[in-house]
Amino acid sequence: DFLQSVADMLSEFDVETKTISQREEYVNAKQQTSYRLRLVFSSKPQSLTALWSKIGYEYNRSRQQFANIAVQYLKHKQRITEERMTASEQAVTMRAAGVSPSAIFTTLISDRVNKRFIERSLYEGRDTAPRVNASFIAYDDYARDVTTGLGESGMVWEKIARIESVEFDDFVYDFTVVHSDHNFIANSFVVSNCGVRVLAAHISAEEIQPHIKNLATALYKNCPSGVGVSGNVKLKGDEFDQVLNNGGKWALTRGYARSEDLRHTEEYGALDSADASRVSARAKERGRNQLGTLGAGNHFIEVDRVAQVYDEPAADALGLFPGQVVVQIHCGSRGLGHQVCQDYVDRFQRTVREDKLEVPDRELVAAPYSSPEGQDYARAMAAAANFAFANRQALAFQIRRSFEETLAGRVRDFDLHQVYDIAHNMAKVEEHLVGKKKKKVLVHRKGTTRAFGPGSSVLPEDLREIGQPVLIPGSMGTMSFILVGTTGSMEQTFGSTCHGAGRVMSRSAARKSVRGEQLRERLQEQGIAVRAGSMSGLAEEAPEAYKDVSRVVDIVERAGIGKKVARLEPLAVIKG
């Protein structure tokens, strides 16, 4: 039954299997019988292609590399056989039309179709699809050719089949590849609804130091990370729409949140304007299985200690003290948010053309907020933000579980309370002082974070006196900061400040200058436990790829748009 259920699941991915076979075996001299059951994959090329391209070997990078090569090899083989089949059919058609054999040979013979192949097609008939020609490249030679210079990236080279002239009146973006003609026209994507959450325990870093490696392993196990990874939150029926409409409130009903978590979350964990019906089926499909996942890139979970407190009253209000254990979560709305942005970028581009508006870059397309397009996007974006709130909440649940699994019976009060959760990719209608009058304005925060000052009515009562917490993570292996908003940010920046240090090195440049394995060793030598699914992804987020976050925060404070409360230093890093 178990093997049959596996076969049924495989069939949903177009992977064929053979009939499950059973064999009796003697296991010792007493001739006791055991039974071996075998589930065997079909060797049909289309089935193997589906297996290796749709499922693959996520647990083994080397096997995944071989699978990628095999998929391309099979596709290459299929193209050749299709060309030969086409030539065979053309030969028969030409002969029926009265074309002479010599003219047929001249027209159809190539390096992939020889004279004997055409003769068999004309005079002997062909009941089955042709095989590749005898000179077809061997797999080992093909594998060497298509991976030259690409290392273990998982990519393979493919030759250009044809070059066609197209009408295209827009910008052309050049990807960073060392080749003068390596240009692509491609739709980009926008990262949406990312945010940071900080949890804090009532224990010191010294108390968990003997258990930090086991804690890092538990976090890595319980908090799925990596590109395209699925989460362990199972949704029923239309429950996914409830997630999009209600965000953290949905998490509360499902037991993933505490009421105090929502109180210390921006917008109390849910944007009321969200409307799941404005989110495409494709976006929902991408997000349905990703609830409770970390993702990859610069997203992370980090166990830190409070290295320094700058503002004791604010730290007391947030439940922070020197030496304390805290946890940062940095992630967003995953594939759903990407797809929402892509869907509406495409839609807005049509609107711009219809309204005959000119923009300097196609990705600066826009629509009036009050227009049908603008309202649809605002509601879809709010739904993606709610997904992000729920996603970080589900991860917080798993982090609490990991702390319990690792520390229960070993240290005292290891429970984690929520310091705050805030987004840093969002657009919201807010009331601000413009000139001398208060006005409702649409504030776009892309790569920035909300930093409302003391007395703001949107803050919970226990934080209203100090101002809104601002969470600024540093690069992996360096310090991070907790700040609070100020009256200065309200006066100068619509209640906004930075959300991180900012890059000084592209991801590709970081991979060229830093090896993931060496970076992991360096961090471990500093006493930082590292769990990561990809060494190249680890290299992309090397500390040297980012600005000095301490200098950035100092500038923020001197500018009066944020006030330092505490500095955090890492003990363990979890990445996709």
Side-chain angles (χ1 to χ4, degrees):
D1 289 343
F2 168 71
L3 290 180
Q4 186 58 55
S5 69
V6 173
D8 292 342
M9 286 189 289
L10 288 168
S11 68
E12 295 179 14
F13 292 90
D14 302 318
V15 178
E16 295 184 24
T17 54
K18 297 181 180 179
T19 303
I20 297 170
S21 61
Q22 175 176 306
R23 187 174 69 185
E24 296 182 10
E25 294 180 341
Y26 294 122
V27 294
N28 54 33
K30 296 180 181 179
Q31 294 188 343
Q32 291 177 325
T33 303
S34 69
Y35 296 91
R36 173 178 293 181
L37 297 171
R38 300 176 72 230
L39 177 63
V40 180
F41 291 111
S42 166
S43 59
K44 293 179 181 179
Q46 62 269 30
S47 179
L48 292 177
T49 299
L51 170 66
W52 291 328
S53 61
K54 295 181 180 180
I55 299 175
Y57 297 92
E58 291 300 324
Y59 65 91
N60 188 309
R61 189 178 182 88
S62 178
R63 288 190 178 187
Q64 185 63 61
Q65 169 79 352
F66 286 126
N68 291 343
I69 298 169
V71 166
Q72 292 304 111
Y73 185 71
L74 289 173
K75 288 181 177 179
H76 183 51
K77 195 172 187 178
Q78 183 180 1
R79 284 196 298 270
I80 301 302
T81 55
E82 287 175 354
E83 287 180 23
R84 286 165 66 82
M85 189 65 193
T86 299
S88 175
E89 293 170 349
Q90 286 179 333
V92 173
T93 301
M94 292 171 73
R95 184 187 182 197
V99 180
S100 66
S102 59
I104 294 174
F105 296 147
T106 301
T107 303
L108 299 178
I109 288 176
S110 67
D111 58 344
R112 294 171 179 173
V113 178
N114 59 23
K115 183 177 180 180
R116 176 57 184 149
F117 178 83
I118 299 298
E119 288 176 341
R120 289 187 60 192
S121 300
L122 290 174
Y123 307 123
E124 300 176 22
R126 190 172 297 282
D127 297 328
T128 59
R131 294 176 295 179
V132 293
N133 50 312
S135 60
F136 184 73
I137 187 170
Y139 173 80
D140 289 342
D141 294 334
Y142 179 85
R144 184 180 60 254
D145 291 347
V146 299
T147 58
T148 301
L150 296 177
E152 295 183 355
S153 65
M155 296 185 291
V156 298
W157 293 110
E158 183 59 275
K159 291 182 179 179
I160 295 172
R162 62 184 177 274
I163 298 175
E164 299 178 354
S165 177
V166 298
E167 292 185 8
F168 183 77
D169 183 19
D170 211 326
F171 290 99
V172 176
Y173 296 90
D174 183 9
F175 282 56
T176 308
V177 177
V178 186
H179 194 294
S180 59
D181 300 317
H182 201 78
N183 294 299
F184 291 89
I185 299 165
N187 289 327
S188 297
F189 57 84
V190 181
V191 179
S192 294
N193 317 119
C194 256
V196 181
R197 176 174 298 216
V198 171
L199 309 170
H202 296 288
I203 52 178
S204 70
E206 289 182 1
E207 292 177 84
I208 70 161
Q209 193 59 55
H211 314 289
I212 194 65
K213 291 183 179 179
N214 290 339
L215 179 59
T217 299
L219 290 168
Y220 187 69
K221 180 189 72 172
N222 292 331
C223 302
S225 60
V227 177
V229 71
S230 295
N232 44 30
V233 178
K234 305 303 178 187
L235 302 173
K236 301 176 182 177
D238 64 350
E239 194 174 9
F240 191 62
D241 280 1
Q242 297 174 31
V243 174
L244 300 182
N245 288 330
N246 301 312
K249 296 176 182 177
W250 167 87
L252 184 64
T253 64
R254 279 289 301 268
Y256 290 109
R258 304 170 182 175
S259 58
E260 56 266 30
D261 293 345
L262 301 191
R263 191 168 63 249
H264 280 198
T265 301
E266 181 179 2
E267 300 295 340
Y268 297 89
L271 293 172
D272 294 336
S273 59
D275 185 346
S277 69
R278 302 301 198 271
V279 178
S280 71
R282 172 60 179 149
K284 291 178 182 179
E285 178 187 348
R286 292 186 64 181
R288 175 173 290 276
N289 295 323
Q290 292 188 330
L291 192 61
T293 65
L294 184 61
N298 64 343
H299 295 163
F300 62 83
I301 292 171
E302 192 171 279
V303 181
D304 298 309
R305 73 178 183 91
V306 178
Q308 186 174 356
V309 168
Y310 302 96
D311 185 326
E312 289 189 6
D316 287 342
L318 296 173
L320 299 173
F321 58 85
Q324 181 182 17
V325 171
V326 299
V327 181
Q328 292 186 82
I329 310 169
H330 177 211
C331 68
S333 52
R334 307 286 281 110
L336 178 136
H338 284 276
Q339 191 63 45
V340 166
C341 277
Q342 187 60 66
D343 290 341
Y344 282 92
V345 165
D346 293 344
R347 183 173 171 185
F348 282 10
Q349 284 170 352
R350 292 194 296 272
T351 302
V352 165
R353 288 194 297 270
E354 291 166 0
D355 294 343
K356 297 182 180 179
L357 301 175
E358 292 186 8
V359 291
D361 188 303
R362 65 184 300 174
E363 298 203 6
L364 292 177
V365 291
Y369 179 73
S370 58
S371 69
E373 296 84 1
Q375 282 295 294
D376 284 350
Y377 174 62
R379 294 178 182 280
M381 182 195 62
N386 284 352
F387 179 89
F389 286 133
N391 189 34
R392 290 193 291 275
Q393 190 64 65
L395 285 169
F397 176 86
Q398 294 295 348
I399 289 169
R400 285 168 170 152
R401 171 188 170 193
S402 301
F403 267 63
E404 182 176 6
E405 288 178 358
T406 308
L407 303 177
R410 297 179 175 88
V411 301
R412 56 185 179 86
D413 190 3
F414 52 79
D415 187 58
L416 294 161
H417 73 270
Q418 182 156 308
V419 176
Y420 206 71
D421 180 295
I422 193 163
H424 53 242
N425 282 328
M426 187 87 77
K428 289 190 298 183
V429 174
E430 296 173 353
E431 193 173 74
H432 288 277
L433 195 63
V434 181
K436 294 184 179 181
K437 293 183 178 180
K438 279 195 172 183
K439 293 185 178 181
K440 283 188 176 181
V441 292
L442 182 63
V443 182
H444 291 252
R445 294 188 179 97
K446 175 74 176 97
T448 64
T449 190
R450 197 176 74 173
F452 284 179
S456 174
S457 61
V458 305
L459 299 178
E461 288 186 9
D462 61 332
L463 301 180
R464 202 165 291 173
E465 185 176 340
I466 65 170
Q468 180 185 289
V470 175
L471 312 174
I472 302 183
S475 58
M476 178 178 52
T478 67
M479 62 193 75
S480 300
F481 288 86
I482 296 176
L483 291 74
V484 286
T486 63
T487 54
S489 66
M490 303 303 289
E491 294 168 355
Q492 302 177 65
T493 58
F494 293 96
S496 308
T497 190
C498 71
H499 90 283
R503 299 188 75 98
V504 293
M505 190 185 298
S506 69
R507 287 184 166 84
S508 60
R511 288 196 304 271
K512 291 176 182 177
S513 61
V514 181
R515 287 189 59 82
E517 295 84 353
Q518 293 172 349
L519 174 59
R520 181 173 60 182
E521 291 176 6
R522 190 207 314 169
L523 293 173
Q524 289 174 343
E525 287 172 0
Q526 296 173 19
I528 303 171
V530 178
R531 300 292 182 270
S534 165
M535 289 300 102
S536 62
L538 196 68
E540 290 177 358
E541 302 305 313
E544 49 264 49
Y546 286 85
K547 299 173 188 174
D548 182 347
V549 68
S550 63
R551 292 186 62 194
V552 172
V553 169
D554 284 344
I555 292 169
V556 164
E557 189 166 51
R558 289 203 301 270
I561 58 175
K563 183 181 179 183
K564 288 192 291 187
V565 175
R567 186 180 85 241
L568 314 178
E569 292 182 352
L571 301 173
V573 178
I574 314 302
K575 291 190 69 65

